[in-house]
Amino acid sequence: MARITGIEHVQLAMPAGEEAAARAFYTGLLGLPERAKPPKLAARGGCWFEAPGVKVHLGVEADFRPALKAHPALLVDDLAAMQAVLEAAGIAIIPDDPVDGRARFYVADPFGNRIELMQG
């Protein structure tokens, strides 16, 4: 029987024309470098952010609605430092109880998508 061996990437939706806001959040605050999309896909808009072990792709959705419950959980090597960066930028932190001994909290990206950040 075949089995799942990993996640290649996570895709979130975003509204059209908001790539600058995506870059400011995902690269500017979270520190994920942007990867150029292949030319055929770049014409659709959106952005790809990738680092070793993590790939978050944002695709334009015409009838965009943010993911308020569904979310990626991103591992952070210094969660307290990330929280300080986000709070300094005016991003609301939504605390939650640790899971499996890992501290964590939630934030919303510029489009309202829920993002979980966990101590890695």
Side-chain angles (χ1 to χ4, degrees):
M1 176 177 194
R3 61 185 180 89
I4 303 293
T5 61
I7 294 177
E8 204 281 335
H9 71 273
V10 171
Q11 176 147 336
L12 298 172
M14 63 176 278
E18 295 293 327
E19 288 80 4
R23 290 178 183 107
F25 181 78
Y26 286 94
T27 297
L29 295 176
L30 298 187
L32 290 173
E34 183 175 6
R35 175 185 169 206
K37 292 177 69 172
K40 286 186 179 182
L41 298 178
R44 300 177 187 173
C47 305
W48 287 4
F49 302 96
E50 300 183 0
V54 61
K55 295 180 182 181
V56 178
H57 296 176
L58 275 81
V60 171
E61 190 169 342
D63 186 24
F64 172 75
R65 288 182 312 268
L68 302 177
K69 182 68 174 173
H71 63 275
L74 305 176
L75 296 174
V76 180
D77 63 359
D78 187 339
L79 191 64
M82 178 66 75
Q83 182 172 344
V85 166
L86 293 168
E87 286 177 333
I91 304 294
I93 303 296
I94 303 161
D96 206 343
D97 295 329
V99 170
D100 295 331
R102 290 184 173 174
R104 66 194 182 120
F105 60 81
Y106 295 94
V107 296
D109 75 3
F111 321 115
N113 292 313
R114 186 180 195 196
I115 307 293
E116 182 176 0
L117 298 167
M118 300 181 79
Q119 181 65 47

